[in-house]
């Protein structure tokens, strides 16, 4: 990659952060692309009457039930107001990836895709994109590619946002590599997590929202990993 190409790629990533903030402010209703599940339980329906929740949608090998839900966000001190769920794998992966999607990363080889964009009651949004791999070898490769993508934004010029130090969370369900995100002045502002459980991989990012401590990002990573492994 030439120096000019590298500069252009960085510019695309940073422009995406600004666009995400505008999008989060504008999006206040939930919509779903895909086939709705007929097996939503009564407890989930009662919760949905009181607060927004990701509508259950199912794709071969993966469904939106494997993604972060509204109760997960509420438990971490976030107040969701709307969700958009898709099953096409065409949601951009993260603020660092530019316009690359999970379908791009997997070269369309996944057995299923699912993604959600949660808007919050204040500035910020949470996005998650997941894919189900045909084999464990493919899942390991995609996880490695996602980690490399995130690490590409750890080393940024002074004054620009960046991902911080990597942390690893391991449970019986799988592994999460999470990174706090920092504004140009060094303050924490969300973060990102790369997740893997068996043949499933995902990336989840809280962006455009100041956070009191990186522990909030760790909590979201843990919740996302639990959903992915369920």
């Amino acid at each position: 990659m030439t120096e000019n190409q590298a500069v252009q790629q960085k510019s695309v990533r940073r422009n995406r952060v600004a666009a995400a903030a505008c999008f989060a402010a504008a999006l206040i209703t939930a919509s779903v692309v895909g086939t709705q599940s007929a097996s939503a339980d009564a407890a989930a329906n009662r919760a949905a009457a009181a607060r927004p929740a990701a509508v259950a949608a199912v794709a071969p090998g993966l469904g939106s039930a494997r993604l972060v839900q509204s109760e997960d966000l509420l438990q971490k001190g976030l107040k969701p107001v709307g969700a958009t769920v898709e099953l096409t794998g065409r949601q951009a992966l993260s603020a660092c990836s530019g316009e690359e999607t999970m379908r791009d990363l997997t070269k369309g080889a996944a057995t299923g895709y699912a993604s959600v964009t949660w808007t919050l009651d204040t500035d910020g949004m949470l996005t998650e994109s997941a894919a189900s791999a045909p084999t464990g070898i493919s899942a390991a490769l995609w996880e490695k590619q996602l980690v490399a993508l995130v690490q590409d934004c750890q080393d940024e010029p002074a004054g620009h946002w960046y991902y911080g130090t990597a942390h690893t969370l391991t449970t019986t369900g799988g592994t999460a590599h999470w990174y706090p995100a920092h504004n140009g002045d060094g303050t924490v502002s969300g973060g990102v997590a790369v997740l893997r459980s068996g043949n499933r991989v995902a990336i989840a990012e809280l962006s455009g929202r100041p956070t009191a401590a990186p522990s909030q990002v760790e909590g979201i990573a843990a919740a996302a990993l639990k959903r992915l492994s369920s």
Side-chain angles (χ1 to χ4, degrees), residues 12 16 21 23 44 50 58 70 72 82 86 101 134 149 160 165 220-221:
V12 169
R16 212 186 107 62
F23 175 71
V58 178
S70 60
D72 301 325
E86 295 184 355
T101 67
L149 182 153
H160 291 286
T165 302
I220 290 173

Side-chain angles (χ1 to χ4, degrees), residues 8 25 50 55-56 63 71 74 78 84 94 105 110 127 131 136 138 145 153 164 168 172 178-179 181 193 196 203 213:
Q8 290 173 356
V55 180
E71 54 264 39
L74 288 166
L78 302 172
T84 298
S94 76
L105 183 134
T127 60
S138 295
Q145 290 173 328
C153 282
T168 300
T172 56
W178 63 273
Y179 309 72
R196 181 187 170 195
I203 182 168

Side-chain angles (χ1 to χ4, degrees), residues 1-11:
M1 179 182 295
T2 66
E3 181 178 353
N4 286 337
Q5 288 174 325
V7 171
Q8 290 173 356
Q9 186 180 50
K10 296 288 187 181
S11 177

Side-chain angles (χ1 to χ4, degrees), residues 94-141:
S94 76
C96 189
S97 70
E99 297 305 317
E100 185 173 11
T101 67
M102 188 65 81
R103 186 172 288 274
D104 295 330
L105 183 134
T106 64
K107 295 180 172 57
T111 59
Y113 297 97
S115 64
V116 63
T117 298
W118 283 103
T119 56
L120 309 175
D121 66 334
T122 56
D123 291 341
M125 61 195 297
L126 186 134
T127 60
E128 183 180 8
S129 183
S132 180
T135 67
I137 293 175
S138 295
L141 174 62

Side-chain angles (χ1 to χ4, degrees), residues 75-223:
Q75 289 173 4
K76 306 309 173 187
L78 302 172
K79 296 181 180 180
V81 297
T84 298
V85 177
E86 295 184 355
L87 303 176
T88 63
R90 300 190 185 282
Q91 174 181 280
L93 292 174
S94 76
C96 189
S97 70
E99 297 305 317
E100 185 173 11
T101 67
M102 188 65 81
R103 186 172 288 274
D104 295 330
L105 183 134
T106 64
K107 295 180 172 57
T111 59
Y113 297 97
S115 64
V116 63
T117 298
W118 283 103
T119 56
L120 309 175
D121 66 334
T122 56
D123 291 341
M125 61 195 297
L126 186 134
T127 60
E128 183 180 8
S129 183
S132 180
T135 67
I137 293 175
S138 295
L141 174 62
W142 297 347
E143 177 190 27
K144 183 177 180 180
Q145 290 173 328
L146 287 169
V147 168
L149 182 153
V150 168
Q151 290 178 341
D152 188 46
C153 282
Q154 284 183 303
D155 185 15
E156 293 289 317
H160 291 286
W161 73 271
Y162 62 95
Y163 292 135
T165 302
H167 302 267
T168 300
L169 172 67
T170 302
T171 69
T172 56
T175 302
H177 305 284
W178 63 273
Y179 309 72
H182 299 267
N183 290 327
D185 61 2
T187 58
V188 177
S189 181
V192 65
V194 173
L195 318 161
R196 181 187 170 195
S197 177
N199 284 16
R200 300 178 189 134
V201 296
I203 182 168
E205 180 162 32
L206 176 65
S207 60
R209 177 188 174 88
T211 50
S215 59
Q216 190 174 55
V217 179
E218 181 180 15
I220 290 173

